[in-house]
Amino acid sequence: MFSSVKPYENQRYASLKKECQRRKQLFEDPLFPANDDSLFYKSRIQGIQWKRPKEICNDPHLFVDGISSHDLHQGQVGNCWFVAACSSLASRESLWQKVIPDWKEQEWNAEKPENYVGIFHFQFWRFGQWLDVVIDDRLPTLHNQLIYCHSNSKNEFWCALVEKAYAKLSGCYEALDGGNTADALVDFTGGVSEPIDLTEGDYIADEAKRNLLFERVLKVHNRGGLISCSIKATSAADMEARLACGLVKGHAYAVTDVRKVRLGHGLLSFFKSEKLDMIRMRNPWGEREWNGPWSDTSEEWQKVSKSEREKMGMTVEDDGEFWMTFEDFCKYFTDIIKCRLINTSYLSIHKTWEEAVLHGAWTRSSDPLKNRCGGCINHKDTFLQNPQYVFDVKKAEDEVLISIQQKPKRTSRKEGKGENLAIGFDIHKVELNRNYRMHTLQQKVASSIYINSRSVFLRTDLKEGRYVIIPTTFDPGHVGEFLLRIFTDVPSDCRELTLDEPPHTCWSGMCGYPQVVSQIHVLAAAGLKNQDSQGGADPYVIIKCEGQKVRSPVKKNTVSPEFDVKGLFYRKKPGQPIIVQIWNHNLISDEFLGQVVLTGDPSDRQSVHTLHLQDKGNKRSNDLPGTIAVKLLSSNILTNV
């Protein structure tokens, strides 16, 4: 997760600081100057003055009494999403120490005033790379007050400086107005964000589904992930409207704790198994809390022992932080974002994921074979022109996590705010030996939502086999770069399919070049005669053609297996047969059950053909080892490009 760090815009903190100390000058960042260009791309606030922390207070510090989610308060820019993400970050020491590197060295030191030259640096994960962002400490103020993110303590500046570095990365401060919490959580961690629509999932009505969601949220929290939530605003008037229960619509909250709370007092609480699923949130405003059951002053807290309340960090203050039951949470909140830290370390005691990371792009070309921006599957004529990535699921079934992230666009005065494209992806099951791009649609097994978010995520369970991911923009013709990340239990060997057909080589004239491409789809078998001692068999399929072969996974203990196995063959000699064999898997020696020989294409290529298996050593028709259902599809190599 924490890979090497690249200096943003080639500004190197250590050398810049050393040069300022040598010249005895305070650092002024030429790439993010103290003027309106760094503040706005559209609006204006009159009377803003840029001041260094020592001009705002007498004794500035990066941290005052450590770092806490209670430190932050939202300023005049509408970036509750960013402040909520910072609140979550503050509760994770290992994470904030990555975002705020060398924090002890960056702290103001009264004993070594010569160390201070007004330069700071922070690190964010962007598009597959950790970036080190250098800033000076001139901050925008109005009437000597910070106008953006600020701390409870007037002399604490970590949150204001982190916000300035993030604004520099985004183009200006105004670019932080109306963003996405999921983006900030990913930028702070390098994790994968998973948004969940609580209303669409109907979690309030389905208790079993709600309990499963709580367990997943609890697991993300316990394993160091960051979580945010919000109540969807359905109109402009709804934005930041306060409900009777005290919650605010269109407003991002940080989730600061998730736990099962033990009810009861004294020894009784240990013998009773009753526990309550609870979640704690914080309003970035630092005020306006939930006033329903289990709010700070509610009588429900009498059901919990004093020691349990202390363990939970329960306080009765209007500090914006409050507890709710998870049931009430699902009743009032509409969205939750889980930012999972995907564990790829082999040294961990927890589940380790295998990660594949690939950079790609949607590009435009007048040549259909080179065009890579075909839009979503609604545009059937151009959909398969998009980039295609093949990967393998090597277990009988595997949980697969997939994320695509489009490259963020910086905001500028000339171009305005860089808007995200609506993006998503489809997953298709393909032949086990596919090595070239798809030219006809195949079975779609999963798809993400399409949304104009920087990241799109999907978690899905897939059977053993080979699959192709097709990342797309919603509409054709849009260009941009993207990052594809795939997490599986075992290595997926994910790679981009770049070739449309087998390449022509100097040997093609001598050895021949494929004339047709044939797809064999083995669907099922029935009536297999060979059985083991339990009365079943462990059959698998082998498809052979011109020296190539495809082998299916083994089906356990059945004489009527359903295979769903595909093979793709580029045939130089279409007259040569395609052979489909059935074998019984055995620990000592696999047993041949029978085969069918396909010597020509059936007249109706789209239909399923039931063919008799023929044992090589037995030609008597009344002793055939079973039947097999096969679909044969032949086409020209570049059909429907």
Side-chain angles (χ1 to χ4, degrees):
M1 182 178 67
F2 293 155
S3 57
S4 59
V5 181
K6 177 183 176 182
Y8 181 64
E9 299 289 5
N10 208 30
Q11 289 182 303
R12 301 181 183 276
Y13 169 76
S15 57
L16 287 171
K17 182 173 184 177
K18 189 174 181 180
E19 180 65 15
C20 288
Q21 288 173 333
R22 187 183 68 80
R23 295 185 176 186
K24 297 184 179 180
Q25 292 178 341
L26 295 180
F27 177 64
E28 294 187 3
D29 186 3
L31 301 184
F32 202 62
N35 59 30
D36 281 357
D37 283 344
S38 298
L39 289 172
F40 313 110
Y41 66 89
K42 183 171 62 176
S43 22
R44 286 285 183 279
I45 298 176
Q46 300 298 323
I48 288 180
Q49 293 182 304
W50 293 80
K51 293 188 175 184
R52 296 187 188 268
K54 284 190 175 182
E55 298 172 300
I56 299 172
C57 66
N58 293 326
D59 185 28
H61 288 280
L62 204 57
F63 304 120
V64 173
D65 297 327
I67 183 172
S68 163
S69 58
H70 293 267
D71 292 343
L72 299 104
H73 290 274
Q74 183 183 339
Q76 294 188 28
V77 69
N79 68 338
C80 60
W81 61 276
F82 175 76
V83 180
C86 281
S87 292
S88 297
L89 177 70
S91 64
R92 301 293 189 188
E93 183 176 347
S94 62
L95 297 180
W96 69 252
Q97 288 188 6
K98 175 66 179 180
V99 174
I100 312 174
D102 315 314
W103 60 275
K104 291 183 179 179
E105 183 269 337
Q106 292 201 76
E107 181 64 88
W108 277 268
N109 189 338
E111 296 178 1
K112 298 180 179 179
E114 69 278 2
N115 284 354
Y116 168 77
V117 285
I119 186 171
F120 291 85
H121 70 130
F122 303 93
Q123 293 175 0
F124 307 103
W125 189 91
R126 274 292 177 97
F127 207 56
Q129 176 72 60
W130 281 96
L131 299 177
D132 190 79
V133 182
V134 171
I135 58 167
D136 62 39
D137 63 354
R138 295 175 295 178
L139 299 168
T141 68
L142 199 60
H143 310 304
N144 207 42
Q145 301 290 323
L146 293 173
I147 63 173
Y148 296 127
C149 185
H150 55 279
S151 175
N152 270 334
S153 303
K154 190 175 180 180
N155 63 332
E156 184 177 57
F157 289 93
W158 75 267
C159 51
L161 293 169
V162 167
E163 182 186 47
K164 180 173 182 178
Y166 200 76
K168 177 179 178 178
L169 197 59
S170 304
C172 66
Y173 274 92
E174 192 182 357
L176 305 185
D177 191 3
N180 190 327
T181 309
D183 293 342
L185 295 177
V186 171
D187 290 343
F188 290 161
T189 63
V192 173
S193 66
E194 179 181 3
I196 298 172
D197 189 320
L198 299 172
T199 306
E200 186 178 301
D202 199 21
Y203 289 95
I204 187 60
D206 191 331
E207 183 179 1
K209 195 175 179 182
R210 185 173 66 248
N211 291 341
L212 179 60
L213 176 62
F214 179 81
E215 294 299 330
R216 286 178 169 169
V217 171
L218 181 63
K219 183 183 289 187
V220 169
H221 176 76
N222 287 343
R223 294 190 179 178
L226 303 182
I227 307 168
S228 175
C229 57
S230 61
I231 303 172
K232 200 179 273 98
T234 54
S235 66
D238 263 355
M239 287 299 294
E240 299 193 343
R242 188 175 184 182
L243 302 175
C245 63
L247 300 175
V248 182
K249 279 190 168 185
H251 187 62
Y253 290 78
V255 173
T256 56
D257 201 358
V258 183
R259 65 173 65 210
K260 292 179 179 290
V261 177
R262 191 183 298 275
L263 302 181
H265 295 265
L267 288 175
L268 185 63
S269 67
F270 290 95
F271 292 107
K272 287 177 67 177
S273 60
E274 189 177 2
K275 291 183 179 180
L276 203 58
D277 294 344
M278 300 278 283
I279 186 167
R280 186 177 70 191
M281 284 147 287
R282 184 175 187 276
N283 186 337
W285 292 344
E287 56 181 2
R288 298 193 187 179
E289 299 181 5
W290 157 255
N291 56 32
W294 298 95
S295 56
D296 283 3
T297 57
S298 71
E299 60 185 19
E300 281 83 6
W301 286 107
Q302 299 304 315
K303 301 176 184 178
V304 178
S305 67
K306 182 180 178 182
S307 62
E308 186 79 359
R309 291 199 300 269
E310 289 175 351
K311 192 165 59 174
M312 296 170 66
M314 172 60 194
T315 59
V316 184
E317 297 176 16
D318 187 19
D319 54 6
E321 193 166 57
F322 55 89
W323 286 90
M324 295 176 74
T325 65
F326 196 68
E327 183 177 359
D328 278 341
F329 172 82
C330 292
K331 180 179 179 181
Y332 286 94
F333 282 86
T334 62
D335 297 273
I336 186 169
I337 298 168
K338 301 185 296 179
C339 183
R340 304 169 60 153
L341 306 186
I342 308 296
N343 178 28
T344 56
S345 170
Y346 293 115
L347 302 177
S348 173
I349 60 172
H350 297 301
K351 177 178 171 64
T352 296
W353 295 84
E354 296 286 346
E355 180 183 21
V357 181
L358 299 101
H359 288 266
W362 297 293
T363 56
R364 191 184 295 118
S365 173
S366 57
D367 182 353
L369 287 177
K370 297 179 181 177
N371 194 57
R372 293 293 179 265
C373 56
C376 70
I377 201 167
N378 296 343
H379 307 275
K380 297 192 185 303
D381 292 340
T382 57
F383 171 68
L384 290 174
Q385 295 173 3
N386 286 293
Q388 300 180 14
Y389 296 85
V390 66
F391 72 98
D392 294 321
V393 173
K394 299 176 182 176
K395 297 173 61 179
E397 188 173 40
D398 197 3
E399 181 183 22
V400 181
L401 313 180
I402 302 170
S403 168
I404 61 167
Q405 182 183 97
Q406 58 185 306
K407 191 169 188 177
K409 296 180 174 64
R410 278 175 54 87
T411 300
S412 69
R413 288 289 294 276
K414 286 183 179 180
E415 299 175 2
K417 190 166 186 176
E419 299 296 335
N420 291 325
L421 300 169
I423 62 172
F425 56 89
D426 289 340
I427 305 174
H428 297 259
K429 188 171 186 182
V430 297
E431 307 86 357
L432 288 173
N433 61 338
R434 174 167 285 279
N435 290 309
Y436 303 105
R437 288 173 54 83
M438 288 169 51
H439 300 302
T440 54
L441 282 176
Q442 299 209 42
Q443 177 191 4
K444 185 169 78 169
V445 294
S447 61
S448 73
I449 60 170
Y450 276 79
I451 189 171
N452 60 341
S453 171
R454 197 198 313 163
S455 297
V456 175
F457 174 84
L458 177 70
R459 181 184 64 241
T460 185
D461 294 321
L462 296 176
K463 303 286 187 184
E464 186 174 0
R466 180 162 290 187
Y467 298 86
V468 166
I469 300 174
I470 304 183
T472 83
T473 58
F474 186 75
D475 293 315
H478 291 299
V479 298
E481 297 178 56
F482 62 86
L483 181 74
L484 174 65
R485 305 169 76 190
I486 301 177
F487 300 91
T488 50
D489 195 42
V490 294
S492 64
D493 302 328
C494 184
R495 65 192 186 280
E496 184 176 5
L497 296 175
T498 57
L499 297 178
D500 288 292
E501 57 182 320
H504 288 267
T505 68
C506 58
W507 301 103
S508 297
M510 211 184 309
C511 302
Y513 186 79
Q515 300 176 43
V516 297
V517 55
S518 294
Q519 181 193 69
I520 304 299
H521 188 181
V522 180
L523 300 165
L528 301 180
K529 300 298 183 184
N530 297 59
Q531 299 177 357
D532 57 25
S533 57
Q534 283 76 39
D538 297 330
Y540 63 90
V541 170
I542 293 179
I543 309 173
K544 296 181 177 181
C545 180
E546 296 188 28
Q548 304 175 60
K549 69 178 181 179
V550 171
R551 173 175 167 162
S552 77
V554 174
K555 298 293 182 179
K556 294 289 186 180
N557 194 30
T558 177
V559 292
S560 297
E562 294 184 2
F563 284 114
D564 192 22
V565 177
K566 295 178 185 177
L568 188 69
F569 300 98
Y570 290 85
R571 303 170 67 187
K572 298 175 183 178
K573 302 173 183 177
Q576 293 294 311
I578 298 174
I579 298 172
V580 180
Q581 296 181 338
I582 303 292
W583 289 75
N584 183 27
H585 182 59
N586 191 294
L587 289 177
I588 301 173
S589 177
D590 287 2
E591 180 184 9
F592 178 80
L593 297 185
Q595 69 180 17
V596 295
V597 179
L598 306 174
T599 56
D601 295 350
S603 56
D604 180 5
R605 295 180 303 181
Q606 297 298 325
S607 64
V608 176
H609 297 267
T610 301
L611 305 170
H612 290 287
L613 292 172
Q614 180 69 59
D615 190 321
K616 281 183 179 178
N618 191 336
K619 305 300 182 183
R620 291 176 299 170
S621 60
N622 63 349
D623 196 21
L624 296 174
T627 60
I628 186 166
V630 176
K631 181 187 286 187
L632 175 62
L633 174 65
S634 295
S635 65
N636 291 328
I637 291 175
L638 295 181
T639 297
N640 295 335
V641 172

